[in-house]
Amino acid sequence: MPSAVSRFAKVAAIAALTSATVFASLDDAEARRAGSGGFGSRGTRTFQAPPVTSTAPGTAAPIERSMTPRSQTTAPATAQQPLGAQRPGFLGGFGRSMIGGLIAGGLLGMLLGHGFGGGFGLLGMLLQIALIGGAVMLAMRYFANRRQPSYGVGGQSRSYNMSPKNNSSFQIPTIGSGGGFGGQSRGNRPSDEIGLAQADLDQFEELLTQVQTAYGAEDYGTLRRLTTPEAMSYLAEELGENATNGVRNSVSDVKLLQGDIAEAWREDGQEYATLAMRYSSIDAMVERDSGRVVSGDDRRPSESTEVWTFVRKSGADWKLAAIQGAEQRAA
């Protein structure tokens, strides 16, 4: 009988040790999933929050996927956290490592026949296993609550829908025929160091429609022409993941409803412009083979608000460099 109990104890300890290993690796896995927020580069302002505007009065989602080193930016390494993210607290960082180490150490003691305290007996061993299982379940639930939405081009994967809350008139000419872009009120003027012209605003509106439409059509050639190589790499990654999952993000009928200049500046021989844009589109995730709608609506348009950054070299056309979701302002 003691031999059977010993074998059971060892098997149970091995299973719990495996769970502890999973527990220790959950932080890294969830960190990778959480790192799917805004993407691209805003030069030295990549990790700075863009100014709020009438179109996007809330804080923009931070850029989490970028090839720009933090050492080359003007923002501190801890400048931003994902929208809705909580500080690590007790279970964060060192706390999780310490708990994992204690669990692993205790389980090794069980494997050697000493248990956590050396002599608990069968009841003590079962109690230890129950405690470990509960800790693992709590950890998995904790990390699941930390998951954040990603921010790509198709609205089903990254957008915060927001109804307009500011109907004030604007001072600069409207963009295009739809009256999409307007100026800022005198108390909230953008930091425009390059003097954006009406032609620039028209091009931004065209890029919004062209990029969204090309993304929905999985038109890699057009996306490469309209975006920076870095932004293209993230878009291609998302399209590839959709294909692997057997779905396609159908985007059509994109229309700019309102837009503001957040900031525009020069650095390293390039010009950057960050704009908040609220637009409507028919946006749905559909199965590639059957065309069945998985999420979204393929008939009625929905609204999204995002912050897009464009970049160009002198005399060249603007290209999409970064996309960030816009947090909805609380009522």
Side-chain angles (χ1 to χ4, degrees), residues 16-28 91 95-101 103-104 132 135-140 142-143:
L17 181 58
T18 301
S19 299
T21 302
V22 173
F23 170 46
S25 64
L26 275 173
D27 187 30
D28 290 337
L91 288 178
R96 282 193 298 272
S97 300
M98 180 180 67
I99 292 175
I103 292 174
I132 293 169
V136 172
M137 291 178 63
L138 286 174
M140 294 179 67
Y142 170 77
F143 288 123

Side-chain angles (χ1 to χ4, degrees), residues 10-308:
K10 289 183 178 181
V11 171
I14 291 172
L17 181 58
T18 301
S19 299
T21 302
V22 173
F23 170 46
S25 64
L26 275 173
D27 187 30
D28 290 337
E30 290 300 328
R32 286 193 296 270
R33 279 191 287 268
S36 57
F39 67 81
S41 174
R42 295 196 332 117
T44 58
R45 305 187 187 190
T46 296
F47 302 108
Q48 289 182 353
V52 298
T53 71
S54 298
T55 300
T59 304
I63 291 179
E64 296 172 342
R65 292 185 292 170
S66 180
M67 298 178 187
T68 302
R70 286 188 179 271
S71 60
Q72 296 181 9
T73 68
T74 56
T78 57
Q80 298 188 33
Q81 293 190 19
L83 293 176
Q86 300 177 359
R87 293 187 181 276
F90 176 71
L91 288 178
F94 175 74
R96 282 193 298 272
S97 300
M98 180 180 67
I99 292 175
L102 290 174
I103 292 174
L107 289 171
L108 287 175
M110 290 177 65
L111 289 172
L112 295 174
H114 302 293
F116 275 104
F120 274 72
L122 178 60
L123 180 61
M125 179 197 69
L126 294 176
L127 178 60
Q128 293 167 23
I129 293 175
L131 290 173
I132 293 169
V136 172
M137 291 178 63
L138 286 174
M140 294 179 67
R141 183 174 300 176
Y142 170 77
F143 288 123
N145 290 335
R146 291 179 58 196
R147 293 179 183 174
Q148 301 294 321
S150 61
Y151 297 85
V153 171
Q156 290 308 309
S157 60
R158 79 306 174 237
S159 64
Y160 287 86
N161 291 336
M162 182 173 68
S163 58
K165 298 184 179 183
N166 191 318
N167 296 319
S168 62
S169 60
F170 298 109
Q171 303 300 316
I172 67 174
T174 58
I175 183 171
S177 59
F181 277 97
Q184 314 287 344
S185 64
R186 291 187 177 183
N188 187 33
R189 289 188 179 277
S191 174
D192 183 359
E193 301 173 8
I194 63 179
L196 294 174
Q198 185 64 41
D200 298 314
L201 302 182
D202 290 339
Q203 190 173 2
F204 297 146
E205 182 177 20
E206 292 174 2
L207 283 169
L208 170 69
T209 300
Q210 292 173 356
V211 170
Q212 293 278 9
T213 303
Y215 184 88
E218 299 183 338
D219 185 347
Y220 286 80
T222 298
L223 287 174
R224 278 192 292 269
R225 178 173 57 84
L226 301 176
T227 65
T228 63
E230 178 180 354
M232 177 62 201
S233 69
Y234 298 126
L235 297 179
E237 179 183 354
E238 293 177 0
L239 291 174
E241 290 177 355
N242 287 344
T244 300
N245 295 328
V247 296
R248 178 175 59 85
N249 195 175
S250 175
V251 185
S252 61
D253 295 342
V254 181
K255 181 180 179 182
L256 180 67
L257 302 176
Q258 181 180 343
D260 294 319
I261 302 168
E263 57 183 344
W265 71 100
R266 291 187 179 90
E267 64 177 60
D268 296 332
Q270 298 187 111
E271 295 179 338
Y272 289 84
T274 295
L275 299 100
M277 297 187 286
R278 181 172 61 87
Y279 62 92
S280 65
S281 64
I282 295 179
D283 191 341
M285 194 72 74
V286 300
E287 291 183 348
R288 303 182 75 86
D289 296 333
S290 66
R292 183 179 68 87
V293 176
V294 177
S295 61
D297 193 327
D298 63 347
R299 296 184 179 182
R300 289 184 296 234
S302 60
E303 290 186 9
S304 302
T305 301
E306 294 172 339
V307 177
W308 287 33

